[in-house]
Amino acid sequence: MKKLNFNNRVSDDDEKLIRILKESIGQEPSGQFIENTLEKFLTLKTKQNSVHKPLKLPLYMMLVIVLILLVPIIFSFGSQISLPDAGFNLENFFENMAFQLDSWYMLSPMLLVLVLLSVVWIELGLVKFRNPFV
Amino acid sequence: MDKSTYSEDTAIESARIGKDDGYRYLLEKYQTYAFSIAIGIVKNEANAEEVVQDSFIRVFKNIAKFKKTGKFSTWLYRIVYNTSLTSLKGKRKIDLRSLNELENYEFDIPDNYANGFDNLARNDKISFVNKAIANLSESENLVVTLYYLNECSIIEIGQITGWNTATIKTRLYRARQNLYVELSKLLGNERNNIR
């Protein structure tokens, strides 16, 4: 009768079998395994480093700017729709919208500068990732 | 690399900062253990080598995330185990049926084994054990590899496979019992062939 002792793997009186078992199941991969694995890993690492990863912040900034640009259009249209008794007509609608757009886009040079800065930022990131020596 | 002064911790630190000698040390130390786990599950040398290679690459990529509170080997073996299972998907499923857990881990050794195994030459013993292991199920093969070759504790095997302690003990018990049964069958066949 044999009883397994889980606290000591060779204490169940069959040490010889355990030794043979260890030799039998210990199998090695091919001779070039280490070199192949290192080469594959280092190639992957190099590829990963050279991939351009654009910074996300300028992209978010550009989205915000686009939204800011769209706000007057949305609001002028919305105000006309929500007030149907104010004598809605197409001419007034375009006049109002033009007025609101005009005042809103007083800010346009500043917005334009911000957009340009974002683009430059992305491009600088691009140059930096592609050429680590710059 | 001077292996006498180069410890596993040093290798892990080197690998963390991207030094090749760290990767090489870990590959040299664990390739046999990792390969033995993979081949026990995927049952094919080429696939097992691919699995182990993918596992090491995953480990190296994520080595910065490795927490020193656990053992590196346990972390690696878990990745090898999971990668092996993933490579089996769509091909064949590992036999992980639930077991009736046991209270008593005693069994009788078949007479054929008791009378024959010790008399074999060393090479014959290895060959017989190899054949007997090949007839074990994947889960039995895996638990034997982890417990006897990789010298993982029951708790570590649990961390690697996700099996509970009772299941591991039962699988280990069944594996040992089946190993004796398979060996005694092989010894019986050998005797019949000689006669």
Side-chain angles (χ1 to χ4, degrees):
Chain A
M1 187 68 77
K2 192 167 285 294
K3 184 174 172 65
L4 290 192
N5 178 352
F6 295 107
N7 297 318
N8 183 352
R9 51 181 60 74
V10 292
S11 76
D12 57 9
D13 202 26
D14 208 352
E15 199 177 337
K16 283 177 197 165
L17 177 68
I18 305 300
R19 281 201 188 135
I20 299 286
L21 196 61
K22 279 186 78 163
E23 281 180 43
S24 305
I25 50 185
Q27 294 184 62
E28 285 192 1
S30 64
Q32 285 300 303
F33 175 76
I34 293 178
E35 298 309 322
N36 291 344
T37 307
L38 271 177
E39 195 185 320
K40 192 173 171 185
F41 172 64
L42 294 174
T43 312
L44 276 174
K45 211 168 119 184
T46 315
K47 260 188 201 168
Q48 230 171 18
N49 288 342
S50 64
V51 170
H52 167 56
K53 291 176 192 163
L55 297 171
K56 284 183 180 170
L57 192 61
L59 290 175
Y60 294 142
M61 274 182 69
M62 284 173 79
L63 270 177
V64 169
I65 288 164
V66 168
L67 275 175
I68 290 170
L69 290 170
L70 286 174
V71 160
I73 298 169
I74 294 163
F75 271 87
S76 62
F77 188 71
S79 63
Q80 294 293 342
I81 300 292
S82 60
L83 297 167
D85 295 334
F88 175 81
N89 65 54
L90 203 60
E91 201 180 325
N92 277 348
F93 170 72
F94 281 119
E95 255 178 43
N96 285 341
M97 198 168 90
F99 175 73
Q100 286 180 36
L101 286 179
D102 191 39
S103 49
W104 186 260
Y105 291 146
M106 292 279 277
L107 296 167
S108 62
M110 199 173 77
L111 290 170
L112 196 67
V113 169
L114 280 172
V115 171
L116 283 172
L117 276 174
S118 304
V119 172
V120 170
W121 193 352
I122 292 170
E123 286 306 311
L124 277 178
L126 191 75
V127 171
K128 202 174 166 186
F129 272 107
R130 280 190 179 159
N131 188 353
F133 301 105
V134 171
Chain B
M1 150 177 54
D2 180 8
K3 282 188 181 174
S4 58
T5 55
Y6 203 89
S7 69
E8 183 172 304
D9 287 342
T10 320
I12 292 169
E13 281 312 312
S14 290
R16 272 184 208 271
I17 54 170
K19 280 187 175 177
D20 287 5
D21 56 349
Y23 301 131
R24 190 177 289 279
Y25 177 93
L26 296 170
L27 275 165
E28 278 173 5
K29 184 168 181 187
Y30 290 109
Q31 60 167 335
T32 305
Y33 302 118
F35 188 72
S36 303
I37 294 171
I39 201 155
I41 298 171
V42 301
K43 305 272 187 198
N44 171 305
E45 279 190 22
N47 289 350
E49 198 159 313
E50 202 177 312
V51 161
V52 178
Q53 193 172 63
D54 289 349
S55 306
F56 271 109
I57 287 172
R58 277 177 70 187
V59 162
F60 294 159
K61 269 187 190 171
N62 295 295
I63 200 147
K65 293 178 195 163
F66 169 65
K67 289 172 190 155
K68 283 180 182 170
T69 47
K71 274 172 83 175
F72 175 80
S73 57
T74 308
W75 184 52
L76 169 69
Y77 299 155
R78 193 169 64 229
I79 290 174
V80 174
Y81 172 69
N82 287 332
T83 313
S84 304
L85 289 188
T86 309
S87 87
L88 278 185
K89 270 184 189 164
K91 292 175 191 165
R92 200 163 44 85
K93 295 266 184 206
I94 184 170
D95 171 29
L96 294 177
R97 284 170 295 178
S98 60
L99 297 167
N100 296 323
E101 286 159 6
L102 303 166
E103 290 293 325
N104 184 4
Y105 297 99
E106 287 182 344
F107 55 88
D108 287 319
I109 296 175
D111 290 341
N112 271 346
Y113 171 80
N115 300 329
F117 193 71
D118 279 348
N119 298 330
L120 290 174
R122 189 185 151 73
N123 284 346
D124 289 339
K125 280 182 184 171
I126 293 176
S127 152
F128 270 60
V129 171
N130 267 328
K131 282 180 192 165
I133 288 169
N135 289 332
L136 297 181
S137 72
E138 286 94 343
S139 56
E140 288 169 352
N141 202 317
L142 175 69
V143 83
V144 164
T145 305
L146 288 172
Y147 189 69
Y148 291 110
L149 176 73
N150 300 16
E151 295 188 352
C152 296
S153 67
I154 302 285
I155 293 169
E156 284 165 356
I157 296 174
Q159 287 168 348
I160 293 163
T161 59
W163 303 340
N164 67 38
T165 306
T167 303
I168 295 163
K169 286 183 176 179
T170 305
R171 282 190 205 284
L172 205 47
Y173 165 81
R174 296 259 157 86
R176 280 295 297 275
Q177 198 181 26
N178 286 339
L179 196 62
Y180 285 115
V181 171
E182 292 298 332
L183 282 171
S184 70
K185 273 189 208 165
L186 290 167
L187 287 163
N189 291 344
E190 181 81 355
R191 264 189 212 138
N192 290 338
N193 289 342
I194 292 168
R195 279 173 201 160

